[in-house]
Amino acid sequence: MDIIKLEGEDRRLYDLVAHLVMNGKVLAYNLNYPYRTSSDYNWFVATDGDGGTLGFIPVKLEGGRAKINNYYVVNDDSDVFSALLKELVDTLSPDYEIESVTQVRHISNFERNRFTVALYWKRYAKMKLKVSGDEKERI
């Protein structure tokens, strides 16, 4: 599995995710919330060895915060979730506070990757990356 980081308007992004973000089943996975992108986004895309897309997490960067507000992982594969979240955290945590609006059914995937719940809603939880003392000093 490879994790590719792309800017929000990179043409390769469309090749990797357009067929998914317009798919009715993928939109249903995202509770019918549309996927968005702009130059403010970085996308982390997991691919298999044959160029197929296994999942993606778009992250909006604004004001020192990196905000995850939707994502998709084929079959909710925990290994794909972990690979995407690890790459995202390694890349963005030195410069951004990372938070996520996470579907309740995916909380455990985020918790395994150092996120903690800050607030529960009916279908979602607001989660934040848990930062250790050493990381706080670095930031």
Side-chain angles (χ1 to χ4, degrees):
M1 173 183 357
D2 294 317
I3 306 298
I4 302 167
K5 178 185 167 269
L6 298 168
E7 301 295 322
E9 295 177 344
D10 189 310
R11 287 197 176 276
R12 293 181 298 158
L13 180 63
Y14 298 95
D15 292 335
L16 292 168
V17 305
H19 66 287
L20 295 170
V21 300
M22 294 187 291
N23 180 305
K25 289 180 181 178
V26 175
L27 286 171
Y29 175 100
N30 201 39
L31 303 175
N32 295 316
Y33 183 79
Y35 296 93
R36 299 188 177 159
T37 194
S38 72
S39 60
D40 295 332
Y41 283 80
N42 282 181
W43 285 64
F44 294 83
V45 182
T47 62
D48 62 19
D50 298 324
T53 302
L54 301 172
F56 55 82
I57 301 178
V59 184
K60 187 171 187 180
L61 306 176
E62 62 181 1
R65 292 186 191 275
K67 298 178 181 180
I68 301 166
N69 196 16
N70 53 55
Y71 48 83
Y72 173 70
V73 174
V74 175
N75 298 323
D76 286 340
D77 186 304
S78 61
D79 291 335
V80 175
F81 261 114
S82 289
L84 284 165
L85 289 169
K86 179 181 181 337
E87 185 67 25
L88 185 155
V89 166
D90 289 350
T91 301
L92 299 176
S93 66
D95 300 315
Y96 296 93
E97 290 181 38
I98 303 173
E99 57 188 45
S100 176
V101 175
T102 306
Q103 291 184 40
V104 169
R105 67 188 177 135
H106 298 131
I107 288 173
S108 62
N109 289 308
F110 281 77
E111 286 178 332
R112 282 192 292 273
N113 290 280
R114 299 177 32 217
F115 283 80
T116 58
V117 174
L119 179 65
Y120 282 101
W121 294 299
K122 184 177 179 180
R123 299 167 100 184
Y124 299 95
K126 182 174 186 175
M127 301 186 79
K128 294 187 176 194
L129 179 68
K130 194 181 336 179
V131 182
S132 70
D134 293 342
E135 289 170 324
K136 285 180 185 175
E137 292 174 17
R138 188 172 46 125
I139 297 174

